[in-house]
Amino acid sequence: MNRTSGTRRGGAGLAGALVCSVALLLSGCGTLSTKEDHRFAEKLAEEHYPGVLEVIEAHKLFPQAGGSEITFSVADDPDAVVRIRVDAEAGTCNTHACHKVLDDAVAKGRSEAARLRILTGTFKSCGYEVIGVEPSSGAPWIVASPTNVTVTRVLADIGSCVRRWVEADGRTGRPAQAGGASVNLASPAVTRRLPAGSRSQPTAMRLSRTPLLAALQSHPYYVASYSAPQGRIDPTGSARIVRPFEAGQKFGATVRRAVRAQLRTSHPDVQVSEYQGVWTLEPGTVDRLTGYVLYCERPDGDKRCLGDRAVVVTTDVRGDPVGKARPVGKVREGRGPLRLPPL
């Protein structure tokens, strides 16, 4: 056989496989289409939960070779979402027999819906509508626009509500917020331009849908955080600003540039680390932030400066320091772990 032609055929086969892989991601290709998985899931629902479960969404799981994630609504619980992975070709769910997997998923969906009702009901009784929920942390989004005059009162008001929520949630036997909790605060201007979700979607799905959360996170917002030092939420709370990536990078660059200029008076060869860290609002303000800037007094050959010393800096919302940076001293030995004292 001609090696060149064989190589070409092999290359063509590989190229064809790659094209099909891309097509799978976009629309399904061959045996990996969601259609069979969708039908398989519908059959499971009819057999095990007739009239209760309805398939509302199916999408491919990447990089898994087979199967789809199936989302069901629950007829007698409009808040609940049930999700499982099914593989029609293998006849399995989450690689196991389907009946037990489906039972567990339904129980989980109902439990999470009950906890969601505790969250939304508690905040509603406090005068706040929950407009979104982060699926990874469970942190709710509410609408609030604190000012320097109102921020202390607003944080305490939300904190009292968080305490009630966490205590009620704990009575379900799953105190996921035992170590503390946080709440995301969106401004009224942002919420007026949010993408509309379908009211036919289960509440748990509608409040955590990707377009909604992306829209909320595309503008700066406050995160109110509440600790639980003795196992009970301290309603005093603290807050920080979260910015979209580019705005956050601009803020950090402004801070570092100003701090470098201050440090050069005593350390002409100073290098400032790109460490960003967490910048917390000064108590009673929404326009003063405090955080750490790390630096190296001098270059260490070609090594990138991680920062073995630190200063505490208070800035305005643009990143321009308000007053002088306050030295903290040594916070790292060599290139070891970072040890920052509490702010």
Side-chain angles (χ1 to χ4, degrees), residues 294-307:
L294 308 185
Y295 68 96
C296 305
E297 290 183 343
R298 61 188 62 84
D300 184 9
D302 294 332
K303 294 180 180 178
R304 180 170 63 92
C305 171
L306 297 180

Side-chain angles (χ1 to χ4, degrees), residues 316-333:
D316 61 20
V317 293
R318 295 179 298 276
D320 294 316
V322 179
K324 291 287 186 180
R326 305 186 295 279
V328 173
K330 200 91 167 178
V331 293
R332 192 199 309 267
E333 291 297 332

Side-chain angles (χ1 to χ4, degrees), residues 210-225:
T210 300
L212 169 66
L213 299 180
L216 288 168
Q217 294 166 4
S218 66
H219 301 270
Y221 61 93
Y222 299 111
V223 176
S225 299

